[in-house]
Amino acid sequence: ARVVVEAGAARVPDPVHGRAGWIAPAVVYGVVPRNFDPPGFAGVAARLDDLRDLGVSALWLSPITGTPNGSFGYEVTDYFDTNPAYGAMAEFRDLVAQAHARGLKVLLDVVPNHTSDQHPYVRDALAHGAASAYRDVYDRDDDGEPTHYFDWTHLPNLNYDHPEVRRFMLEAMVHWVRDGGIE
C-alpha cells in the first residue's frame, strides 16, 4: 500500500491514477540490512554510491522494525522503532538522508498483517484474557482462538475490523514518513 501525507493528514491515493511518475522507470534494489558488511544501516550507507552507479533508483528495505533477536523482521514487536541490530533511529534517518542526497528513493517493507507473539498487545491479551483491551485487536476464529499468518503460531493476525488496529497502523505509517524521513 502507498500512503501519502499532505498537510499533516495521511491518505491512500488512487492506485491507478495516483501513481508516482518515478515508478515506471525505477530500478529497485532489495536491501536486507543484516546482509551488508558491516551489517545494518551503516553498511547500507557505505554502499549507496555503488548502488547508484549500478543504476539503482530506489532501495526497498526488508523490515527494519523491532523484532525478537535472531528473527528476519516479519515478527514485529515494535512498529515505531528500528531493529537495534541494524542501528538506532538516528542512523536510519541518516541513511535515508544520504540516499535522498544521491537521488535514491527509499521504500520500506512494512508488516501490517500480523505481529510477533512477543508483541506487547499479545502479551497483554494472554495475561488478561477477555479483560484485555487488546484481545480483540487480533483476528479470531469461530471458537475465539487467534488466527495466524500461514498457520505460524508465532504470527497472530491483526483484526482490521477493530478501529484500534486501523488507527495504530496508520499512526505507524505516518511515523516512518514524519520521523523516519521516508517520502
Side-chain angles (χ1 to χ4, degrees):
R2 181 171 167 251
V3 177
V4 175
V5 178
E6 295 173 334
R11 68 173 178 81
V12 177
D14 178 332
V16 174
H17 301 100
R19 184 175 65 194
W22 65 268
I23 292 175
V27 175
V28 180
Y29 183 85
V31 175
V32 180
R34 73 180 188 174
N35 292 346
F36 277 71
D37 185 22
F41 304 134
V44 177
R47 302 299 302 267
L48 289 175
D49 289 331
D50 297 332
L51 294 170
R52 184 197 58 215
D53 292 347
L54 286 171
V56 170
S57 56
L59 307 177
W60 180 1
L61 280 84
S62 67
I64 61 160
T65 53
T67 62
N69 288 337
S71 65
F72 190 69
Y74 294 92
E75 307 87 346
V76 181
T77 55
D78 186 349
Y79 284 91
F80 296 89
D81 203 0
T82 59
N83 183 331
Y86 299 164
M89 184 61 123
E91 292 171 279
F92 173 74
R93 281 192 301 268
D94 183 57
L95 167 61
V96 172
Q98 287 187 51
H100 288 166
R102 290 166 173 80
L104 301 172
K105 304 283 186 190
V106 179
L107 309 171
L108 296 181
D109 188 348
V110 179
V111 184
N113 182 65
H114 57 270
T115 70
S116 165
D117 62 357
Q118 301 302 306
H119 190 279
Y121 284 8
V122 174
R123 288 181 173 210
D124 188 273
L126 288 173
H128 300 102
S132 171
Y134 302 108
R135 182 185 185 281
D136 292 335
V137 301
Y138 289 95
D139 185 57
R140 298 192 176 272
D141 64 19
D142 291 339
D143 295 326
E145 296 299 317
T147 64
H148 298 89
Y149 188 69
F150 288 131
D151 294 325
W152 294 333
T153 57
H154 67 293
L155 301 176
N157 290 323
L158 290 164
N159 173 14
Y160 272 87
D161 289 335
H162 195 289
E164 170 60 13
V165 173
R166 295 189 306 270
R167 184 208 60 79
F168 179 82
M169 278 302 155
L170 186 57
E171 184 178 323
M173 300 311 132
V174 169
H175 162 75
W176 290 101
V177 171
R178 182 188 57 228
D179 301 329
I182 298 297
E183 295 178 349

